[in-house]
Amino acid sequence: MVVTLSLMGCPRDGSADRPSDDDSRSARASDSSPAAPSSAPAVFAPPPVRPGKPATVPSVRTYNQRTGPGWRPAPGARVVADPGGPLADEARRLAEDLRLPTGPGPARPGDVELGLRAGQSGGPESYELTVQGRKATITAPDEAGLFYGTRTVVQAVRTAGGLPEGVLRDGPDRPQRGLNLDVARKHFTAGWIEARLREMADLKLNQLALHFSDDQGFRIESASHPEVVSPQHLTKAELRRIVALASALHITVVPEIDSPGHLGAVMTAHPALQLRDAAGTVARGAVDVANPEAARVVDDLLREFAPLFPGPYFHLGSDEYRALMAKNPQVAYPRLAELARQKYGPRALVQDLATGWLNDRAAVVRALGKTPKAWNDGFFSGGVVTPDKTIEVEYWTGKELGARPPQEYLNEGRTVVNLNDEYLYYVLGEPNQFRYPTGERIYRQWSPAVLRGTVPVPAGPTGADRIPGGRLAVWCDRAEAQTPEQVAAGIRLPLAAVAQKLWDPAPPQLTWTDFSALATRVRR
């Protein structure tokens, strides 16, 4: 039986824990339609729902069909949950989507009942949905799984009018599933980002990474270093609103402050920290890792922003450091080479300074309770300094210096997240031979094990514990190439395809034509 919800906690009713009022997905039926008394009889005679696995994106993984009429939202139906329990917000959201009132138990025919079951198998993002006796019951071991069960209900109503009789058991194959958004080179409003969060939630995606710093802009309000902030930026109030909505939708927001490269906006305000080669030429966007003041500025920013993001991760960037993109870094940057030898010994190279920089920044965010992430071309081999093993590798390319084959990172025992630029990079303006990714290509060819190019890594450590998932990535290299509205339209089907491939490891059963049509039907 369903565990009594009032024992599990209290609803999120503070402004810091729930999204703003504009989070409504439909009219607030639960505010305007009083719940029928639980003892009042209700008459339900909706037409039966056609049996068969519900049509959803991503697809439901298992469905055991039973004989019966199924469930449809009908007059008198309610979303039932303990109004003082932890699922009150989930009940409210589902009720808004279905235009039904909420109400306390006991549930009766026609209702949708939500409940937590401690110890239910499948993991925290799994759920079970049972339709029997004209009633639908969603149970899960955690609120996240329960929320995903409500998304299945909503999509089934959109595609078939309701749920068929039977039992659905569902849950994701990979724990990290999401979208990476470059807000540094192109400013996106808080409202635009919130709209993407709602779309992501309907697809059961759970991670939004925000790339805040680059040569073109630093797009987050700062009290410690206001001089680095671009005129167009997200305020901390807007960030808190974004994070609150994301939390309510069970999405983790991952901040990224990229260093020691991609800091051009910071260098504009701090030109003395700019890296220069032996000839005195400025290395675009690169901070001088030999200057202690550079570390102080970056660490100030990391410490300031970490508390704004309650999730477990902080992305440190570490890609495309100009000093290491030179043909011979030791010759091009002799001062760095000398410092490396002084600090790490006679065999040390410039790359060891960069690795030391990464490890030092990782130590800062770990002390703040975060797991560090970094791009794969910031993990160099053959040096005297080894990148910290606790840093998650975010594999995006094999084209940059330092970008080793993904199998090497896995062989080192590292966790590797998939952002394969062959399939998952949506680069505005399509520079450097990039092409806008298509949902069809992702759907047909990509999987979490395809970390580089078009070929999966050899059989081995490719399960969810080693490749925990991936993200579609929007990069704004040519910021004016598309409007925000065009970006939103362009990533819609690729994001749906990514959601499908990270949720269900089985080969897709639908043709691409049918899947893309379904992805349109389930949109709100």
Side-chain angles (χ1 to χ4, degrees):
M1 64 182 294
V2 177
V3 173
T4 302
L5 298 179
S6 59
L7 298 178
M8 304 302 293
C10 59
R12 299 186 287 266
D13 29 79
S15 60
D17 295 316
R18 72 161 60 216
S20 57
D21 289 342
D22 65 356
D23 183 39
S24 298
R25 300 182 180 209
S26 61
R28 290 180 174 266
S30 56
D31 293 344
S32 58
S33 303
S38 59
S39 60
V43 177
F44 295 91
V49 177
R50 179 187 299 179
K53 188 176 180 179
T56 62
V57 177
S59 59
V60 170
R61 295 183 65 176
T62 64
Y63 165 58
N64 296 317
Q65 184 173 310
R66 294 177 178 173
T67 301
W71 173 88
R72 293 179 185 269
R78 305 170 301 157
V79 177
V80 172
D82 183 347
L87 300 182
D89 277 359
E90 314 298 355
R92 174 188 59 81
R93 193 176 306 279
L94 179 59
E96 290 173 352
D97 286 335
L98 298 178
R99 295 181 174 85
L100 295 176
T102 59
R108 61 194 184 218
D111 290 344
V112 182
E113 184 177 19
L114 314 183
L116 295 177
R117 278 184 174 158
Q120 181 172 302
S121 63
E125 293 188 296
S126 68
Y127 66 93
E128 183 175 300
L129 203 170
T130 301
V131 179
Q132 187 175 15
R134 295 191 181 276
K135 182 177 74 173
T137 303
I138 309 171
T139 60
D142 189 83
E143 292 176 49
L146 198 291
F147 174 72
Y148 296 141
T150 67
R151 299 307 88 199
T152 294
V153 172
V154 172
Q155 289 197 16
V157 169
R158 290 172 183 161
T159 58
L163 291 159
E165 199 87 0
V167 180
L168 308 176
R169 293 183 178 88
D170 202 11
D173 179 52
R174 307 285 162 152
Q176 295 189 42
R177 311 175 305 279
L179 174 66
N180 206 90
L181 183 62
D182 174 9
V183 299
R185 292 175 238 197
K186 185 179 182 69
H187 175 64
F188 293 93
T189 67
W192 190 93
I193 295 171
E194 288 168 341
R196 304 292 76 71
L197 285 170
R198 296 185 186 99
E199 291 179 1
M200 291 170 62
D202 281 350
L203 295 170
K204 303 184 175 81
L205 296 170
N206 68 355
Q207 198 175 82
L208 174 68
L210 296 176
H211 175 85
F212 287 114
S213 68
D214 218 301
D215 300 341
Q216 296 82 355
F218 191 96
R219 306 286 183 182
I220 179 172
E221 177 187 355
S222 172
S224 66
H225 290 282
E227 73 280 2
V228 308
V229 180
S230 300
Q232 284 189 311
H233 62 270
L234 294 169
T235 68
K236 287 186 177 179
E238 289 173 323
L239 277 173
R240 291 187 182 98
R241 196 177 82 197
I242 289 168
V243 170
L245 174 59
S247 178
L249 299 174
H250 301 279
I251 295 172
T252 295
V253 181
V254 180
E256 181 192 353
I257 296 179
D258 202 345
S259 79
H262 295 282
L263 280 175
V266 172
M267 297 301 96
T268 299
H270 294 273
L273 305 183
Q274 179 77 59
L275 178 66
R276 296 176 183 270
D277 67 12
T281 303
V282 168
R284 182 171 60 86
V287 71
D288 184 354
V289 295
N291 189 333
E293 180 66 11
R296 186 189 70 79
V297 171
V298 172
D299 290 350
D300 285 347
L301 295 169
L302 295 175
R303 292 189 178 101
E304 177 182 1
F305 296 131
L308 285 174
F309 300 92
Y313 301 107
F314 207 116
H315 203 305
L316 301 173
S318 197
D319 61 312
E320 298 182 317
Y321 186 46
R322 291 284 171 176
L324 296 174
M325 297 170 74
K327 185 176 181 180
N328 188 330
Q330 277 57 240
V331 172
Y333 296 91
R335 186 172 55 85
L336 293 185
E338 176 60 26
L339 179 62
R341 290 189 291 270
Q342 292 176 11
K343 190 170 185 178
Y344 297 116
R347 295 176 52 249
L349 303 172
V350 174
Q351 73 175 56
D352 293 302
L353 278 185
T355 300
W357 172 279
L358 172 61
N359 288 346
D360 289 346
R361 308 292 77 73
V364 170
V365 299
R366 271 200 310 275
L368 297 168
K370 307 297 184 185
T371 296
K373 290 174 173 281
W375 299 113
N376 68 288
D377 54 322
F379 292 77
F380 289 87
S381 64
V384 299
V385 181
T386 302
D388 192 295
K389 286 293 182 68
T390 66
I391 306 171
E392 284 197 355
V393 179
E394 303 242 321
Y395 200 100
W396 72 280
T397 188
K399 301 167 186 172
E400 299 289 346
L401 292 174
R404 296 173 285 141
Q407 189 70 53
E408 292 188 19
Y409 300 84
L410 294 169
N411 291 345
E412 292 171 0
R414 297 187 182 280
T415 299
V416 182
V417 180
N418 193 323
L419 287 95
N420 183 345
D421 64 352
E422 177 70 25
Y423 292 97
L424 304 179
Y425 261 39
Y426 193 98
V427 185
L428 299 197
E430 300 183 310
N432 302 320
Q433 299 181 323
F434 281 111
R435 294 294 177 264
Y436 292 123
T438 68
E440 181 174 8
R441 193 160 179 255
I442 296 168
Y443 187 76
R444 292 180 182 275
Q445 300 175 12
W446 180 80
S447 73
V450 182
L451 284 161
R452 172 176 174 173
T454 60
V455 180
V457 294
T462 59
D465 59 328
R466 300 299 303 284
I467 304 177
R471 297 192 302 279
L472 182 74
V474 175
W475 296 104
C476 302
D477 292 41
R478 296 176 181 169
E480 303 309 314
Q482 289 192 343
T483 66
E485 292 73 24
Q486 288 172 320
V487 174
I491 67 175
R492 184 179 64 81
L493 286 177
L495 204 56
V498 167
Q500 174 64 36
K501 301 303 283 288
L502 292 173
W503 187 269
D504 189 350
Q509 298 301 301
L510 297 178
T511 66
W512 169 249
T513 298
D514 289 343
F515 178 86
S516 57
L518 175 61
T520 299
R521 290 170 61 200
V522 300
R523 290 184 71 197
R524 57 190 189 87

